[in-house]
Amino acid sequence: MIDLRSDTVTKPTQEMRQAAFEAEVGDDVYGEDPTVTRLEHEAARILGKEEALFVTSGTQGNQIAVLTHTRPGNEIILEENSHIFYYESGAVAALAGVQTRTIPGVKGEMDAGIVEAAIRVEDQHFPETGLICVENTHNRAGGAIVSPENMESIYSVARNHSVPVHVDGARLFNAAAASRIDVREFTRHCDTVQICLSKGLGAPVGSIIAGDHTFIRKARKWRKRLGGGLRQVGMIAAPGLVALTTMRERLMEDHEKAAVLKEALQSSHGIRVVNDVDTNIVVADIKGSGLTTEGFVELLKDKGILIAGFGPHTVRFTTHYDVSMDEVEKAAMILKSL
Ligand code: TLP
């Protein structure tokens, strides 16, 4: 099977397995796991933040950020198709007790003027705006890159109103690789950031949240409250460290694979590519094929390709380390023959 459902399906490399096997460990709740400490220091350095914290997943990282930045009854501003709003099981309402104010984006980017207009003024009737979230790359916008300029304009507005900005950067390294700039060109325009080790970077488990010392101290407490304080966590931090230090450079290869799929889909009858394919995600409208999303997913499965349903008439192809260019070219041939 050529598995293009998500970059979350990657399995740990031999080097990651070896690193897990050999990891020096200790009880991290006592702050005694040298491997996770090394991972957190390295992550903070790469992301240009004072401190970082290892968390179990992207969802946990985002939720800890929302819990740390806000109080129940706050309102948070996010893009209307953002992962935190769309795919996290209503956690911000269930856990943080905040309400959401969604803003339509263009290719994942929110307009800073619209964000500013959505920030609440002081009035006894209104909730307080507790947080603005930006997603980069933007998953439902098809892995779209939110430019540093857009992030800067939103951060500037946010600071004028003393509202913090959190970036869901599950795939932020894809944005940096495709833009050929240091990831800090993005992270300097936010207070806190979450990055996933277990997507394009290929680690089996884990995410990082990063911010200033005060944020991380509070976030550590929320992680504990949520049951995310782990013990000999070096076992899974070690592959995360391999992912963070050795797998960023090669993300461009995934983008090249996505470009091959894009080209194939564009020449398939009844299929329309709807995103720009900035990075490793291709979204296709399959209405013209006469099939439902489920029918299309099944058809490709019968031909040896796994993809993800994305909407009533849309599907998502995601490239990653565990599909080779040969496999992608094979998938492209099949798609062209549809
Ligand atoms: N995205 C997954 C699914 O949940 C949709 C995927 O296959 O793309 N932020 C963004 C932008 C994400 O795309 C994801 C995962 C997360 C956060 C959550 O990460 P995990 O799965 O580690 O909780």
Side-chain angles (χ1 to χ4, degrees), residues 36-282:
V36 79
T37 303
R38 208 146 29 97
L39 170 63
E40 290 172 347
H41 283 163
E42 190 60 11
R45 188 189 64 75
I46 291 169
L47 294 167
K49 295 292 178 200
E50 284 178 11
E51 209 176 325
L53 187 70
F54 184 62
V55 294
T56 54
S57 67
T59 302
Q60 191 187 58
N62 286 335
Q63 292 306 319
I64 289 174
V66 175
L67 284 159
T68 305
H69 283 299
T70 65
R71 285 185 295 129
N74 278 177
E75 184 167 77
I76 65 171
I77 296 174
L78 4 72
E79 200 280 330
E80 67 181 2
N81 284 303
S82 62
H83 195 278
I84 294 176
F85 178 70
Y86 199 96
Y87 281 125
E88 299 192 9
S89 323
V92 294
L95 304 179
V98 297
Q99 68 180 32
T100 49
R101 180 86 176 265
T102 56
I103 285 178
V106 177
K107 297 179 185 176
E109 293 189 345
M110 295 183 287
D111 177 82
I114 299 177
V115 170
E116 182 158 38
I119 295 174
R120 300 288 193 155
V121 295
E122 181 52 41
D123 183 309
Q124 64 171 327
H125 297 87
F126 295 161
E128 283 159 26
T129 303
L131 182 66
I132 297 166
C133 299
V134 173
E135 183 172 315
N136 201 3
T137 63
H138 193 293
N139 185 347
R140 286 199 64 80
I145 299 169
V146 173
S147 68
E149 293 72 29
N150 180 252
M151 287 180 66
E152 184 179 17
S153 61
I154 291 171
Y155 196 39
S156 157
V157 157
R159 273 189 301 193
N160 286 341
H161 295 269
S162 304
V163 179
V165 172
H166 171 69
V167 169
D168 176 356
R171 299 187 178 85
L172 189 60
F173 290 116
N174 292 83
S179 314
R180 297 175 200 282
I181 55 176
D182 191 283
V183 74
R184 281 171 280 201
E185 293 302 317
F186 294 98
T187 56
R188 65 197 184 95
H189 305 303
C190 66
D191 297 283
T192 62
V193 56
Q194 180 276 122
I195 59 104
C196 285
L197 301 166
S198 65
K199 298 201 164 51
L201 300 183
V205 178
S207 273
I208 291 286
I209 48 177
D212 66 16
H213 295 306
T214 309
F215 169 80
I216 294 295
R217 184 172 44 75
K218 293 181 185 163
R220 190 179 294 280
K221 192 151 191 159
W222 271 114
R223 186 184 70 170
K224 191 78 185 82
R225 280 196 190 108
L226 296 175
L230 303 177
R231 303 297 177 172
Q232 284 72 37
V233 67
M235 297 294 289
I236 54 172
L241 194 54
V242 174
L244 187 66
T245 52
T246 70
M247 301 288 276
R248 284 178 288 137
E249 299 302 316
R250 55 150 305 282
L251 289 170
M252 275 309 282
E253 294 169 20
D254 296 342
H255 305 165
E256 283 157 20
K257 293 174 211 164
V260 171
L261 290 177
K262 175 186 176 181
E263 194 267 324
L265 285 162
Q266 276 168 336
S267 50
S268 310
H269 185 68
I271 301 176
R272 200 167 53 85
V273 174
V274 296
N275 66 325
D276 288 347
V277 193
D278 289 345
T279 56
N280 67 329
I281 293 175
V282 187

